[in-house]
Amino acid sequence: MTGLLSYFIFFATIASIFAIATLGLNLQWGQCGQFNAGVVGFIAVGAYTQAILTVPANPEFVSGIQLPFPLALIASMAATVVIATVIGLATIRLRTDYLALATFGIAATIQLLLMNLDPVTGGGRGMPGVPRPFAFLPPLSFAAIYLAMAGGAMILSYVALERLVRSPWGRVLRAIRDDETAAASLGKSVEAFRLTAFVIGAAFMGLAGALYASFIGYVSPFDFLPIMTFQVWAMLIVGGSGSNRGAIVGAFLVWALWSLSGVAVVSFLPTRLQTQGGAIQAIMIGTLLIGTLILRPNGLIGSDARPGALTRRKLRSLKQNGRRT
Amino acid sequence: MIAQLIVDGIMTGAILSLGAIGITLGLAILRFANFAYAELLTVGAYATLAVVLAMGGTGVPIDPFSFGAYIGLALLVSLAATGLAALVGDALVFAPLRRRSAGPLVLIFASFGLALVVRNLVLLIFGPQPEYYSRELQMAILLPGDIRLMPDQVVVLAAAVLALGALWWVLNHTRHGLAMRAVAENPGLAQTCAISPKAAIRVTWLITGVLGALGGTLFGLTVQLRPEMGANLLLPLFTAAVLGGVGSIPGAVIGGLFVGIAENLSTLVLPTAYKAIVPFLIMLACFFIRPQGLFGQSR
């Protein structure tokens, strides 16, 4: 029973952390139409900053600053903001598919730096011994407290982003997403709005990374592979881009499917094939994503990407009432 | 030393060129950045491997090369199979999205998902270990200037040049080639001239699939086969296509050669571990200095 409970707590904590990153992506993509193909890069920046700032002295890499957990969280978000601003300033004018290429390349570059800048990041061996807050408590209590913190951070992020997208600022973002020229003709500075949305979205990804580092207690470049970008994207698309609730639902649902398929791989596959279990999980998440795009483009709870678009339901009521509802 | 790096760069560049043509045709005719394209190189390389394994090897090595005559047969099967795979991928994933007139961003995202599925299917079937078509040894040819060249590399270069010639002929002297160029230029106008964009899209997939299979097999011949080989080539390929200018085939060839040579020369000033960053830096520089590329028209 305790086993099941602790597994559930572990699952919910990771899902909450993913949900925060997905909320950040929803601000960039769902609200502003920016294709960020390098989500994992920003998560990694947050995670490594958190690790460097809190880890006890270790001769192998930069360490020994030992900032308290909450301060380090804020600093990690700040570091992600700085990096995202630099990247944003450099890429904000790019066409959407070029932005996708650029952010994809940036995530690959960040991973390469983590791998090779040994004195700062510990290189391929990563950074062990990242302190976990309340780790002196029995494991179950530690897990429960951390879930409360991660879940609390997720709810705070949700509330903050909901207020943000309902504000006049959020309305401008959606106006830019739906018709850039029209928004610009109303005197809105498209670039400034896009940059701000990009940076704020990235800050949430950094927060997710920082929470992840302090929960697992270890960071390694192999934890921040492009597959993580896919996972976060799948969470947003399945849940429904444009909706913050959708982002959270999608994160829990996709992470549940991912974890369950992991359990299934371990329990049903012959040992010989188990090392390739990750491949089966990846095939599944890829298929899920393509299927959602084709069959249910707005996701489970998504808002319609084009508010004026005729959905089947609208079309039916149009036929019945003779006017658009 | 520098001469050797440049020669090696040309070899890598020739393979990159083939893939970059696929990317550039895709960008011009399908009108989205196809992140799944590089997986066609993986599929092609492994399709060749599957035939080679089925035949129990490449046959008696033809001196001075490392492979036997069977690899030619395997390559032919792979070209057909990969062209078919490209068509199937389009029919299953991209055609339904086009029918719903989904935006280019949705197509890009679907291509991400497709790439993930394909790469992991290859991983599942063939395993993560590196594979080779042949483990025969070959003697390097010593050229003036202390340049070493493997006989296989000569074959790679010759095959790439032949493929470029064939492609040029198809695009300039066949109805399908003309239709493709017309759709790339202006889909609406092409349609009023009774050119079906759907047919042109199918021909594009077929041609880019065949080019991908050739590029992947040549890469496997001179380097090695790994399930992530396509994914690792993605940024160099896109860089070559963007640098050359979207839609320009000579541009893609020059872009490919440039990226290949620059990657190799970078080892003079950068630690080898950072070699993989070089294409990306070129791409960024290109975005800022000349976003339309060397031979592209600004749109």
Side-chain angles (χ1 to χ4, degrees):
Chain A
M1 199 56 216
T2 358
L4 200 62
L5 183 66
S6 69
Y7 185 82
F8 174 77
I9 292 177
F10 181 82
F11 161 80
T13 309
I14 298 283
S16 308
I17 291 172
F18 265 117
I20 295 171
T22 313
L23 283 168
L25 181 66
N26 187 36
L27 185 67
Q28 296 178 337
W29 162 255
Q31 303 293 332
C32 196
Q34 288 176 305
F35 199 120
N36 178 358
V39 175
V40 66
F42 299 104
I43 299 181
V45 168
Y48 267 82
T49 315
Q50 179 81 3
I52 290 169
L53 291 179
T54 57
V55 84
N58 184 323
E60 306 245 329
F61 40 77
V62 183
S63 49
I65 304 169
Q66 290 186 290
L67 226 53
F69 173 74
L71 278 183
L73 273 190
I74 295 167
S76 302
M77 281 177 86
T80 320
V81 162
V82 171
I83 302 270
T85 310
V86 174
I87 293 171
L89 281 173
T91 57
I92 213 74
R93 281 191 192 83
L94 296 179
R95 276 169 32 185
T96 35
D97 47 350
Y98 283 5
L99 179 66
L101 283 172
T103 43
F104 183 79
I106 283 159
T109 308
I110 289 177
Q111 220 250 338
L112 205 65
L113 290 175
L114 298 181
M115 223 23 222
N116 294 297
L117 273 183
D118 292 44
V120 183
T121 64
R125 276 166 301 168
M127 303 174 94
V130 179
R132 309 162 71 181
F134 303 105
F136 53 86
L137 293 173
L140 202 59
S141 318
F142 157 76
I145 289 183
Y146 209 93
L147 173 60
M149 291 195 298
M154 179 188 77
I155 292 166
L156 274 179
S157 307
Y158 170 78
V159 173
L161 281 168
E162 272 296 297
R163 294 193 70 153
L164 209 54
V165 301
R166 290 187 197 291
S167 70
W169 184 81
R171 238 175 2 249
V172 178
L173 276 194
R174 282 191 300 282
I176 291 173
R177 178 193 69 187
D178 294 334
D179 192 337
E180 215 175 290
T181 325
S185 74
L186 292 173
K188 304 297 177 194
S189 162
V190 172
E191 275 172 20
F193 275 93
R194 296 182 76 162
L195 181 64
T196 323
F198 186 77
V199 169
I200 297 178
F204 284 99
M205 294 168 193
L207 173 63
L211 286 169
Y212 176 85
S214 285
F215 178 59
I216 303 292
Y218 171 65
V219 286
S220 140
F222 301 105
D223 289 339
F224 303 102
L225 299 176
I227 180 92
M228 197 180 247
T229 300
F230 286 112
Q231 288 171 330
V232 176
W233 270 101
M235 288 165 181
L236 184 60
I237 300 280
V238 169
S241 54
S243 152
N244 284 326
R245 258 186 312 150
I248 292 177
V249 171
F252 275 80
L253 197 68
V254 170
W255 189 245
L257 284 173
W258 182 269
S259 314
L260 283 179
S261 67
V263 174
V265 163
V266 174
S267 3
F268 301 123
L269 270 187
T271 343
R272 186 174 56 83
L273 284 177
Q274 279 195 8
T275 46
Q276 292 169 33
I280 296 175
Q281 284 178 295
I283 292 170
M284 204 200 61
I285 200 168
T287 316
L288 177 73
L289 206 150
I290 297 171
T292 313
L293 285 174
I294 294 177
L295 302 173
R296 212 182 154 82
N298 294 330
L300 294 176
I301 316 188
S303 72
D304 198 329
R306 294 167 301 152
L310 284 174
T311 58
R312 213 172 281 166
R313 198 179 339 140
K314 278 187 197 160
L315 202 64
R316 209 182 303 134
S317 78
L318 186 68
K319 276 179 190 156
Q320 282 166 2
N321 306 329
R323 60 183 177 83
R324 283 180 79 161
T325 48
Chain B
M1 177 65 182
I2 291 183
Q4 178 72 56
L5 289 175
I6 291 177
V7 168
D8 287 341
I10 292 173
M11 294 302 155
T12 325
I15 297 170
L16 289 180
S17 296
L18 294 176
I21 292 173
I23 298 260
T24 213
L25 285 176
L27 277 168
I29 294 166
L30 308 169
R31 290 173 190 271
F32 73 98
N34 184 359
F35 277 77
Y37 180 72
E39 303 306 328
L40 284 175
L41 275 79
T42 317
V43 170
Y46 274 90
T48 308
L49 179 72
V51 180
V52 166
L53 290 178
M55 290 189 298
T58 56
V60 186
I62 312 165
D63 195 54
F65 306 114
S66 73
F67 51 84
Y70 290 172
I71 197 154
L73 179 66
L75 176 63
L76 283 181
V77 175
S78 161
L79 295 183
T82 313
L84 192 69
L87 286 175
V88 170
D90 183 58
L92 286 181
V93 177
F94 300 112
L97 291 172
R98 273 199 306 272
R99 230 172 284 138
R100 232 192 47 225
S101 54
L105 287 174
V106 175
L107 289 171
I108 296 178
F109 196 46
S111 77
F112 261 95
L114 184 62
L116 191 65
V117 172
V118 171
R119 187 178 337 132
N120 284 286
L121 277 176
V122 171
L123 175 65
L124 203 59
I125 299 170
F126 292 94
Q129 73 287 356
E131 297 276 359
Y132 302 87
Y133 295 128
S134 154
R135 289 175 192 273
E136 295 290 334
L137 294 176
Q138 41 175 341
M139 296 293 286
I141 311 165
L142 205 58
L143 297 180
D146 207 24
I147 299 168
R148 277 161 209 281
L149 202 58
M150 290 295 171
D152 286 3
Q153 291 181 308
V154 180
V155 175
V156 166
L157 198 60
V161 171
L162 268 179
L164 290 177
L167 178 72
W168 176 83
W169 186 81
V170 168
L171 286 180
N172 287 289
H173 293 274
T174 65
R175 289 191 57 80
H176 291 308
L178 190 67
M180 271 172 69
R181 280 159 54 214
V183 172
E185 200 67 40
N186 186 334
L189 192 60
Q191 212 163 0
T192 56
C193 298
I195 293 170
S196 151
K198 276 187 188 162
I201 284 175
R202 276 198 295 273
V203 175
T204 307
W205 277 110
L206 193 64
I207 290 179
T208 57
V210 167
L211 285 175
L214 183 63
T217 303
L218 295 181
F219 190 81
L221 196 59
T222 43
V223 191
Q224 56 178 212
L225 290 87
R226 302 185 77 108
E228 64 274 16
M229 59 187 272
N232 292 338
L233 285 173
L234 192 65
L235 277 176
L237 291 181
F238 266 107
T239 305
V242 169
L243 179 65
V246 169
S248 162
I249 289 174
V253 174
I254 291 171
L257 291 173
F258 186 91
V259 172
I261 294 172
E263 235 184 359
N264 275 287
L265 283 182
S266 75
T267 51
L268 290 174
V269 285
L270 276 178
T272 329
Y274 293 106
K275 197 170 146 186
I277 293 186
V278 173
F280 176 58
L281 293 179
I282 299 175
M283 182 194 278
L284 278 188
C286 187
F287 282 158
F288 293 115
I289 301 165
R290 204 177 154 80
Q292 73 272 36
L294 293 174
F295 297 90
Q297 284 129 16
S298 45
R299 313 186 172 207

